[in-house]
Amino acid sequence: MAASSILLITPGEPAGIGADLVALQAAEHWSADWVVVADPNLLRERATQLNLSLQIKLVTAATLAEPAANNEVKVLPVALRAPVTAGQLNPANAAYVLETLELATDLCLQKKAKGLVTGPVHKGVINEAGIPFTGHTEFLQHRCGSEQVVMLLATAELRVALVTTHLPLCEVAAAITPQRITQITRILHNELIRRFGYAQPRILVCGLNPHAGEGGHLGREEIDIIEPTLEKLCAEGINLIGPLPADTLFTEKILQQGDAVLAMYHDQGLPVLKHQGFGRAANITLGLPIIRTSVDHGTALELAGTGKADTGSLKTALDYATIFAS
């Protein structure tokens, strides 16, 4: 199989459920050619905890495309910095987590792999280790040298993209600028065509303020920033509906009018999507030169090593990455 069709998986925080998900997924049949970038001993130990048989084939950056037996998982080894106990964070392993991400991203940029599927990381413990880190999306944007990227979460029924991502709420309004809205909307429009196959995608746009500003009585961002920017984008041929009040946009009647929703901030759009499809959604980064999908959940430390982790979101992320890579 050609190296360009390979998907890389980074399990993320070693004390969390990422290693569990890989071990559980490996026990099932999967048609995609994937390589796990991780410490093989961590995967073996977690599989043993879960009473799973895990056969590992070690590969290098030069041998990613070598075939594996039906019962083997290909692993590109990266060594842990410290021993791991399931459920117990250790800042000493923050550098390990970032090394797996850096290696996997660089292999995709070098065209040795087609895409990257990421497991959950723990932002707090990485920052406790003295490494500034706000999330996968921002890390990949910097590593890939992309001017702007878009965080989109998707289930089979709903797609929600964000104008701002991991910002404190008090900083959101200042970040809603004509330039940012323009960049995000163009990327979303183009990727809905390229990745999702919509010939003329329809994008529903949330307002920032309650009731989309109520004609300026509840905030002027819609009048001064959002509406003029959307008018210019519509003149380019992008099909935009809004700004709409977010509290009524996420109703069945309105959602049927669009193919994706553009929310102004993280907790405006994602609670609705996760309520609708948590555990069945994938986090997709648009605007990168590589394919990147991810699970829609966190590290779930309390579930690590228990066998209770649900692989549904990982399957969705692998599904999307496989479709995009084909």
Side-chain angles (χ1 to χ4, degrees):
M1 185 173 286
S4 60
S5 66
I6 292 168
L7 299 177
L8 302 178
I9 299 176
T10 54
E13 167 54 47
I17 61 170
D20 303 53
L21 298 177
V22 169
L24 289 164
Q25 186 59 58
E28 301 183 22
H29 172 74
W30 194 260
S31 59
D33 186 13
W34 42 279
V35 177
V36 184
V37 183
D39 190 312
N41 291 325
L42 169 67
L43 300 178
R44 291 188 185 100
E45 290 169 6
R46 197 61 59 83
T48 298
Q49 283 183 269
L50 301 178
N51 295 316
L52 295 172
S53 176
L54 184 66
Q55 303 299 318
I56 288 177
K57 174 183 175 68
L58 296 180
V59 297
T60 68
T63 62
L64 292 177
E66 285 188 359
N70 288 336
N71 63 339
E72 287 183 325
V73 175
K74 293 193 286 186
V75 177
L76 179 60
V78 175
L80 285 162
R81 303 298 196 270
V84 171
T85 299
Q88 297 183 19
L89 296 171
N90 186 344
N93 278 318
Y96 158 82
V97 173
L98 292 185
E99 184 181 353
T100 64
L101 286 172
E102 290 166 355
L103 177 57
T105 303
D106 290 350
L107 288 170
C108 290
L109 289 171
Q110 295 162 13
K111 309 297 185 184
K112 294 180 179 179
K114 188 73 173 183
L116 170 62
V117 178
T118 60
V121 296
H122 194 286
K123 303 179 187 69
V125 77
I126 295 174
N127 283 280
E128 286 176 22
I131 306 171
F133 185 83
T134 55
H136 275 114
T137 303
E138 297 82 3
F139 171 88
L140 290 166
Q141 177 182 357
H142 176 75
R143 192 76 179 180
C144 293
S146 298
E147 180 182 357
Q148 183 65 64
V149 296
V150 177
M151 177 188 288
L152 179 139
L153 267 77
T155 65
E157 303 88 6
L158 181 62
R159 285 156 292 281
V160 177
L162 304 177
V163 175
T164 63
T165 54
H166 299 123
L167 281 181
L169 192 57
C170 63
E171 298 178 15
V172 168
I176 304 298
T177 63
Q179 180 184 16
R180 188 176 188 89
I181 294 172
T182 298
Q183 289 179 318
I184 296 288
T185 304
R186 285 174 177 163
I187 292 171
L188 176 59
H189 170 77
N190 292 333
E191 294 279 49
L192 286 170
I193 295 171
R194 182 166 73 108
R195 301 285 192 203
F196 291 86
Y198 291 107
Q200 295 179 316
R202 304 164 299 164
I203 301 171
L204 304 170
V205 183
C206 295
L208 173 65
N209 296 296
H211 300 178
E214 194 78 66
H217 296 288
L218 296 177
R220 291 195 55 87
E221 284 84 1
E222 285 78 12
I223 294 172
D224 296 339
I225 298 170
I226 301 174
E227 290 176 8
T229 304
L230 298 188
E231 288 175 6
K232 292 179 181 179
L233 289 165
C234 287
E236 297 178 8
I238 300 177
N239 189 347
L240 302 170
I241 304 169
L244 301 172
D247 64 341
T248 53
L249 184 156
F250 288 101
T251 58
E252 184 176 359
K253 181 178 179 180
I254 303 298
L255 287 175
Q256 288 176 349
Q257 300 174 32
D259 302 306
V261 174
L262 181 60
M264 291 294 131
Y265 56 95
H266 188 280
D267 281 13
Q268 182 182 58
L270 297 195
V272 181
L273 181 136
K274 292 190 177 185
H275 174 73
Q276 186 257 3
F278 188 69
R280 298 184 292 108
N283 183 344
I284 302 165
T285 307
L286 307 178
L288 294 173
I290 66 173
I291 294 166
R292 184 264 172 160
T293 67
S294 182
V295 295
D296 68 348
H297 55 72
T299 53
L301 296 170
E302 71 282 0
L303 298 180
T306 67
K308 297 179 181 179
D310 187 340
T311 60
S313 184
L314 177 61
K315 291 177 181 177
T316 303
L318 283 165
D319 273 336
Y320 272 116
T322 302
I323 292 168
F324 296 160
S326 62

